[in-house]
Amino acid sequence: MMPDPRDPSMNSPEAHDCAGPTVRIHLSSAGVSLLLDVTGGCIPAVLHWGPALGSLTEADAAQLAAVTTPPVANNAPDVPLRLGLLPQNADGWLGTPGLTGSRPDGSGFAPRLSCHAVRLDGEILAEADEDRDRAGFVEAASGLVTFELEDRANGLEARLEVELTAQGLLRARAEVTNAGAETYTLSDLTLALPVPLDATELLDFAGRWAHERVPQRRGFTTGTHLRQNRRGRTGADAAHLLHAGTAGFNFSSGQVWAVHVGFSGNHVHLAERTSGGTQILAGGELLLPGEGHLASGDSYRSPWLYGSYGNGLDEVARRFHRHLRSRKHHVSTDRPVTLNVWEAVYFDHDLGRLTDLADRAAALGVERYVLDDGWFGSRRDDTSGLGDWVVSPDAWPEGLGPLIDHVTGLGMQFGLWFEPEMVNLDSELARAHPEWVMAPSAERIPFESRYQQVLNLSHPGAFEHVHRQMDALLNEYDISYIKWDHNRDLVEAADRSSGAAATHAQTLAAYRLMDRLKADHPGLEIESCSSGGARVDLGVLERTDRVWVSDCIDPLERLSMNRWTSQLIPFELMGSHIASGRSHTTGRLHSLSFRAAAALMGHLGIEWDLAEATEDELSELRTWIELYKQRREFLFTGDLVRADRGMDALWLTGVVSPTKDRALYVLACTESTELATVGQVRLPGLDPRSRYRVRPLVLGETPSNLRWPAWALDGVDPATDRNYRGRHELPLTDGIELPGAALANTGLAAPLMDPETAVLIEVEAVGRPESSDRSGTSERSATPARPETAGPAGD
């Protein structure tokens, strides 16, 4: 006798193949709570991700599961909607499904996964086994929760991993295995995190070459905000992070939830609100047709989807920063001042000129010297030689030894440029192995970009060839740093022999090549460069030690790009260089003080033909380098803080030490507006109960038309000094003292500043309460005593 579909028992979990354990896990760390729920073996769901809930009991968790269950709406399934980490159509979810795919006959397109085992840090919490407890509750500070899932009817198995780190950062990923006899073609595997309806605005990023990470904000409305990236690399126009927040959220206020896909190939971010009032942020890899082809027993694992919650954008960013800084392989705070020769010489490689540049750099205190494109094969311009990683006998008849020996003899590290994933058709490699060039067929290849094609590193022969040539150079020469470039999108990225899409395989092969080189050469650092900033993500940063933010080093452009790149990664991972006076990408002219101030909040470097610099410029540049060296330990352990004044053009970016005993702010005027120099500027991030000494800091030449207010001046009163307006350089104070609360809430009168100028403001604690609030401190070690400072101009 067939069951009656009107029977209420038909809507029970058991009737929908969801029989299994019930367990709830509450993880809470660094002011964030994550409450996970498995009820009767149904797919794991997030009951809460956001502000800390305090300690919960098992009864509390059960009640929260009950009170967060939505009512059954008219014209909807007769069971409440359950939104899982992998949202399922089978649960009544009509938004974007988390897992889609099918068998050859079209079956299996809407799987129903159920949970049969739950582990916390590897220890079993619950299992669908008669000998084990079928209900439970666990509370922990942080940890990795693993859910074992299956859909027996469709022959699928899955594993979900969800972690809350000690820094309050969430990350999750999924792995799907084909347990059936026939092939299963996976189309999408996208994890989703719920956000409350209080989040009414979205913020993500757009951009292009030389203008990366441009913020864009819009309302969070019904429908899907979809950001798909099909470039085969992260992309200059990538979403970077997708934020959802309460109305008007800014750097310091408003609840904000954000996600980031830690993957360097095709990927997707989406924000979705259903007509039923459910909201999610989601992301994963974007698989091209056939890339999810799973034979019996095969598995596919998604990249990590990271989630950060905070009160304001700065707190969201700091969770990422603290997580990255907690890694065992994270870079030292002693980040070397770097000279890259690209904008100095381009392809004109002359030993005398390059050794002279090294001498000038060493005299300034530069600690790493990087030789860029043009040292190999027939590479005298960008039309040929790419892929032939052999030192050119024409450009370097004695090899690279003379230059490297000269550089290292001056006490600097030596770095070398490569582009391992690309090839010119005019190269020995392409002529010998045309089958290694990515193309949809043997008869047709993609259009060229910068005269180059993509080398298929997923081909074993191509991979070993590139590794062998790079490894030989690293063995022969004292090379401690690789600038790893990637100058074109992957268009029609296919294995030439089969025509099958190969973007996924190419991304993983690039990761393997980086991993192998680093394993074989301990201490080797790699910079992720991709036409500038087109490969900035947490997948590549598992293998690299910094990113090149942009090929544009114009300080006005970099102020914005550095500011928003740091929404994901800390300053020590961001290449930030002082370029020549006239920008090579925009043509703008800027003072050295503006160029240096814009570059200071990052891993400092130089991209400038120093032979063209005047003695005054070299002297000022040396002063900026000294300041960076004195402050880098502090800059790379402290907390990022940012502020602006709505639509104003006065931007403040700063670092506050973990113990809140010091801070350094860059105050920059980005354009001319009637509000740019009116009113006060607030100094965020300080301990409100401590007292601080505040002083202006001007290095080198005073910016044009800079007019400090009275608080910054020593013995000069603008109200009574009749010569105040006509004096360009005035003596600056050694400091004024105020409580942190006053500096953060009232602020200081802003100086009058020309557009495209910047000054520094330095803050140091002079009196602290015995029990200061340390709730916002970093997990990194405390900053050491303040070193001797560079004095302000005019003292």
Side-chain angles (χ1 to χ4, degrees):
M1 182 176 180
M2 294 291 292
D4 185 351
R6 295 170 296 180
D7 184 345
S9 67
M10 287 296 294
N11 286 327
S12 68
E14 289 78 5
H16 289 79
D17 297 324
C18 269
T22 293
V23 62
R24 298 180 181 99
I25 304 103
H26 178 216
L27 303 177
S28 189
S29 181
V32 173
S33 275
L34 175 67
L35 182 57
L36 300 165
D37 170 78
V38 172
T39 297
C42 286
I43 194 162
V46 175
L47 299 182
H48 174 86
W49 169 43
L53 298 176
S55 182
L56 299 177
T57 66
E58 183 171 357
D60 293 335
Q63 288 283 33
L64 280 168
V67 300
T68 56
T69 299
V72 175
N74 290 332
N75 196 31
D78 292 339
V79 293
L81 172 67
R82 181 178 182 81
L83 178 63
L85 280 159
L86 283 175
Q88 299 186 125
N89 183 250
D91 290 326
W93 171 251
L94 297 178
T96 302
L99 190 162
T100 58
S102 63
R103 300 288 177 186
D105 63 357
S107 64
F109 74 95
R112 173 185 286 279
L113 292 166
S114 59
C115 182
H116 63 85
V118 183
R119 292 177 173 82
L120 176 61
D121 294 329
E123 295 294 323
I124 284 284
L125 296 182
E127 194 170 33
D129 189 308
E130 293 181 359
D131 296 330
R132 293 188 180 273
D133 188 2
R134 291 170 56 83
F137 172 72
V138 174
E139 190 167 59
S142 60
L144 176 67
V145 182
T146 304
F147 302 97
E148 301 289 345
L149 313 173
E150 63 181 354
D151 178 351
R152 293 182 182 178
N154 284 305
L156 295 176
E157 296 176 353
R159 174 192 295 261
L160 282 177
E161 294 179 304
V162 185
E163 182 178 21
L164 187 70
T165 71
Q167 300 78 32
L169 188 70
L170 184 160
R171 63 179 189 167
R173 65 182 176 186
E175 183 175 37
V176 173
T177 299
N178 177 15
E182 293 184 302
T183 297
Y184 187 83
T185 301
L186 181 69
S187 301
D188 298 287
L189 188 61
T190 306
L191 290 124
L193 297 170
V195 293
L197 287 172
D198 304 73
T200 58
E201 294 182 359
L202 298 174
L203 170 69
D204 61 0
F205 299 87
R208 56 170 172 78
W209 176 78
H211 195 58
E212 293 88 339
R213 283 166 290 288
V214 178
Q216 52 184 19
R217 190 187 285 244
R218 67 193 66 206
F220 197 159
T221 56
T222 298
T224 304
H225 174 63
L226 179 64
R227 298 296 306 280
Q228 290 185 331
N229 187 290
R230 298 176 181 270
R231 297 180 177 275
R233 55 179 175 170
T234 320
D237 59 348
H240 193 48
L241 292 125
L242 175 55
H243 305 79
T246 53
F249 68 86
N250 56 30
F251 291 123
S252 60
S253 65
Q255 287 188 289
V256 184
W257 295 259
V259 295
H260 166 80
V261 177
F263 191 65
S264 308
N266 293 339
H267 62 279
V268 59
H269 290 87
L270 64 94
E272 191 164 56
R273 177 191 288 180
T274 69
S275 58
T278 301
Q279 293 189 159
I280 62 168
L281 296 177
E285 182 180 5
L286 193 158
L287 294 169
L288 295 179
E291 288 188 325
H293 181 92
L294 301 178
S296 180
D298 284 354
S299 298
Y300 164 82
R301 187 169 69 180
S302 76
W304 287 109
L305 176 70
Y306 291 83
S308 181
Y309 164 80
N311 186 34
L313 291 166
D314 281 353
E315 189 171 31
V316 168
R318 287 195 291 264
R319 295 199 192 281
F320 284 106
H321 298 180
R322 293 170 181 175
H323 166 72
L324 291 167
R325 287 172 173 172
S326 71
R327 303 173 303 168
K328 292 181 179 179
H329 65 278
H330 192 65
V331 298
S332 164
T333 57
D334 193 22
R335 306 297 285 140
V337 180
T338 299
L339 174 79
N340 188 284
V341 306
W342 177 244
E343 288 196 358
V345 303
Y346 289 100
F347 289 105
D348 184 14
H349 284 201
D350 174 79
L351 178 60
R353 185 179 181 188
L354 288 166
T355 54
D356 175 71
L357 192 56
D359 291 337
R360 295 172 185 271
L364 291 173
V366 170
E367 297 158 309
R368 175 184 286 156
Y369 180 103
V370 181
L371 182 66
D372 213 287
D373 193 0
W375 56 267
F376 52 91
S378 59
R379 189 76 164 180
R380 306 288 76 79
D381 55 30
D382 61 1
T383 64
S384 72
L386 194 62
D388 298 333
W389 304 113
V390 178
V391 178
S392 168
D394 298 326
W396 297 94
E398 298 179 66
L400 294 177
L403 177 63
I404 294 176
D405 290 345
H406 187 82
V407 167
T408 56
L410 291 169
M412 295 185 289
Q413 301 172 19
F414 184 83
L416 193 60
W417 181 95
F418 289 90
E419 194 171 3
E421 298 151 87
M422 301 293 156
V423 62
N424 287 129
L425 294 184
D426 183 7
S427 66
E428 297 301 321
L429 176 61
R431 282 185 284 272
H433 292 284
E435 73 278 10
W436 292 353
V437 177
M438 278 194 163
S441 70
E443 292 75 30
R444 179 168 64 85
I445 62 171
F447 61 77
E448 289 189 329
S449 178
R450 206 190 180 203
Y451 309 103
Q452 65 192 51
Q453 297 288 351
V454 182
L455 184 67
N456 186 1
L457 289 183
S458 68
H459 191 293
F463 182 97
E464 291 302 329
H465 173 84
V466 174
H467 173 264
R468 183 169 58 252
Q469 289 194 330
M470 295 180 73
D471 185 62
L473 288 160
L474 293 172
N475 283 323
E476 181 178 358
Y477 296 116
D478 186 3
I479 300 169
S480 59
Y481 182 83
I482 289 176
K483 182 179 179 181
W484 187 302
D485 216 334
H486 183 289
N487 275 308
R488 67 158 292 162
D489 295 328
L490 273 61
V491 177
E492 295 187 297
D495 185 292
R496 195 167 188 171
S497 62
S498 66
T503 301
H504 169 77
Q506 177 78 355
T507 306
L508 298 187
Y511 286 169
R512 286 197 306 275
L513 183 56
M514 293 177 186
D515 291 342
R516 187 168 169 185
L517 289 170
K518 284 205 140 193
D520 292 343
H521 301 277
L524 176 69
E525 286 200 14
I526 300 177
E527 175 185 44
S528 172
C529 177
S530 186
S531 303
R535 186 149 63 181
V536 179
D537 63 81
L538 298 191
V540 80
L541 276 167
E542 285 298 311
R543 297 147 177 96
T544 59
D545 304 281
R546 82 167 190 167
V547 300
W548 185 226
V549 173
S550 176
D551 279 343
C552 178
I553 323 177
D554 179 321
L556 181 62
E557 302 290 338
R558 272 301 189 99
L559 276 173
S560 176
M561 290 186 286
N562 283 6
R563 161 174 276 211
W564 291 112
T565 300
S566 66
Q567 185 62 23
L568 180 67
I569 62 176
F571 289 146
E572 63 267 28
L573 299 180
M574 292 166 40
S576 188
H577 289 191
I578 302 170
S580 55
R582 180 180 293 277
S583 170
H584 288 214
T585 52
T586 68
R588 292 193 188 101
L589 285 166
H590 288 112
S591 67
L592 176 52
S593 65
F594 186 56
R595 283 140 55 200
L600 184 63
M601 298 294 181
H603 180 189
L604 189 71
I606 301 168
E607 197 111 1
W608 182 3
D609 186 353
L610 297 174
E612 296 182 353
T614 67
E615 287 302 318
D616 286 344
E617 287 176 322
L618 292 174
S619 177
E620 182 175 345
L621 184 57
R622 186 178 296 108
T623 303
W624 281 99
I625 290 172
E626 290 171 355
L627 178 73
Y628 165 81
K629 288 181 177 180
Q630 292 164 0
R631 305 301 196 280
R632 59 186 164 192
E633 172 83 16
F634 152 65
L635 290 173
F636 302 149
T637 58
D639 285 338
L640 167 71
V641 291
R642 293 163 293 183
D644 55 28
R645 299 185 299 188
M647 298 300 292
D648 197 357
L650 205 61
W651 288 8
L652 184 109
T653 302
V655 174
V656 179
S657 71
T659 53
K660 299 185 183 297
D661 63 337
R662 22 184 330 216
L664 181 66
Y665 302 93
V666 174
L667 182 64
C669 184
T670 59
E671 60 181 296
S672 178
T673 74
E674 63 179 355
L675 298 177
T677 53
V678 176
Q680 288 84 247
V681 58
R682 298 174 180 177
L683 304 183
L686 303 174
D687 183 344
R689 295 177 295 174
S690 294
R691 291 188 64 81
Y692 292 94
R693 177 176 293 275
V694 184
R695 69 167 185 145
L697 187 59
V698 177
L699 277 69
E701 183 180 356
T702 302
S704 61
N705 295 322
L706 173 66
R707 194 169 299 159
W708 287 101
W711 69 264
L713 301 176
D714 183 15
V716 178
D717 184 355
T720 59
D721 191 328
R722 301 183 63 182
N723 296 319
Y724 171 74
R725 288 179 180 272
R727 296 173 65 184
H728 179 51
E729 292 192 5
L730 295 168
L732 299 180
T733 180
D734 282 337
I736 58 145
E737 292 186 13
L738 279 170
L743 293 169
N745 296 308
T746 302
L748 306 167
L752 289 171
M753 301 172 66
D754 275 352
E756 300 173 34
T757 60
V759 295
L760 306 181
I761 299 174
E762 189 164 52
V763 178
E764 185 175 17
V766 293
R768 299 176 62 81
E770 294 183 1
S771 57
S772 287
D773 179 10
R774 299 292 195 272
S775 60
T777 59
S778 168
E779 283 73 23
R780 300 278 287 179
S781 59
T783 303
R786 178 174 178 264
E788 183 180 352
T789 61
D795 280 356

